[in-house]
């Protein structure tokens, strides 16, 4: 497990927020799942936007 701080990613299309620290268990992403560990073909669970169209944000 990495000691790097967890990051937050936001969908450019609908604003869905993915927080590495919390994951998204409903989508099969356990808490602590890093963005880099999510498959490249993953899409936003709300609108279907591809992973490549998410931006890292600071909250």
């Amino acid at each position: 497990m990495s000691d790097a701080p967890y990051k937050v990613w936001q969908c450019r299309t609908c604003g869905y927020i993915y927080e590495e620290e919390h994951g998204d268990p409903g989508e099969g992403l356990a808490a602590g799942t890093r963005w880099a560990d999510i498959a490249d073909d993953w899409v936003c669970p709300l609108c279907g936007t591809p992973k490549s169209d998410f931006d890292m944000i600071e909250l």
Side-chain angles (χ1 to χ4, degrees):
M1 180 159 222
S2 172
D3 288 333
Y6 288 113
K7 296 181 179 168
V8 178
W9 297 83
Q10 183 174 33
C11 177
R12 291 181 199 160
T13 303
C14 73
Y16 167 83
I17 301 286
Y18 177 75
E19 297 180 58
E20 293 177 335
E21 182 175 13
H22 302 292
D24 190 343
E27 292 299 316
L29 300 170
T33 301
R34 299 291 183 164
W35 188 249
D37 296 331
I38 298 173
D40 290 337
D41 63 352
W42 180 84
V43 296
C44 177
L46 299 182
C47 71
T49 294
K51 179 182 172 186
S52 60
D53 288 342
F54 276 66
D55 295 313
M56 186 179 61
I57 61 171
E58 292 187 40
L59 295 178

